[in-house]
Amino acid sequence: MSESAVTAPTAFRERLSVPWWGWPLPLAAAALLAAEIHMGFPGVRSWLPYAVLLPLVVLLLVRLGSVRVEVAGGELRVGEAHVPLELLGEVEVFDARTKRKAMGPNLDPMAFVAHRGWVGPMVRVRLEDPRDPTPYWLFSVRSAEELAAVLRNR
């Protein structure tokens, strides 16, 4: 990794995590499942399903429910995926209403998609790499207009 990639400033950073209203239902389901296991196996180990299931659900909501979107070090990063900025083409922004077509009938099956249902806007960035079969990246981001401006002005 080059020295400039390590010291390059971050032009954009956003973490998409599960909102507060996405937590009660999975936690209640885990507690209900733990209670059912508890009723089936009473005794000393009755606390075990609660001690296992509730932290497991919290871990899943934190790890699987969040993604980082970042422009830094000459790259666009969405979760674990990254692409150099010089390989990016046209940038489009979709609001909560127009993303339905982008995610539905207009979606290319070869596209990279990082959709979070609780985030309204999405950004589509075309790739200009002839060796990559992925035509574009389509991903959720709350500050879509800000990110699009950063990518257009790179």
Side-chain angles (χ1 to χ4, degrees):
M1 186 181 298
S2 69
E3 182 78 22
S4 63
V6 174
T7 60
T10 301
F12 180 87
R13 178 180 289 158
E14 185 172 290
R15 179 170 290 283
L16 305 174
S17 55
V18 178
W20 69 268
W21 48 265
W23 286 75
L25 189 59
L27 287 172
L32 195 60
L33 180 60
E36 287 184 23
I37 295 170
H38 173 201
M39 288 188 302
F41 296 100
V44 177
R45 62 181 179 261
S46 63
W47 56 270
L48 193 57
Y50 300 100
V52 171
L53 289 174
L54 291 174
L56 182 64
V57 167
V58 169
L59 179 67
L60 287 173
L61 284 171
V62 169
R63 288 285 291 152
L64 298 177
S66 69
V67 67
R68 185 184 67 198
V69 178
E70 183 176 67
V71 176
E75 290 185 329
L76 168 63
R77 295 186 195 108
V78 179
E80 297 295 320
H82 56 92
V83 64
L85 293 178
E86 57 266 7
L87 296 178
L88 301 181
E90 178 188 8
V91 179
E92 295 176 78
V93 175
F94 299 98
D95 63 13
R97 289 187 312 249
T98 59
K99 79 174 182 179
R100 186 170 246 194
K101 280 190 180 174
M103 286 292 295
N106 296 340
L107 182 65
D108 188 320
M110 296 292 289
F112 168 78
V113 179
H115 178 248
R116 297 298 184 259
W118 56 85
V119 178
M122 293 189 89
V123 172
R124 178 166 59 193
V125 180
R126 298 224 176 258
L127 298 183
E128 303 294 333
D129 185 0
R131 297 172 301 162
D132 191 349
T134 306
Y136 57 84
W137 282 18
L138 182 64
F139 53 93
S140 299
V141 61
R142 286 187 182 94
S143 306
E145 292 294 342
E146 181 184 343
L147 175 61
V150 167
L151 293 175
R152 289 178 185 132
N153 298 327
R154 55 180 155 37

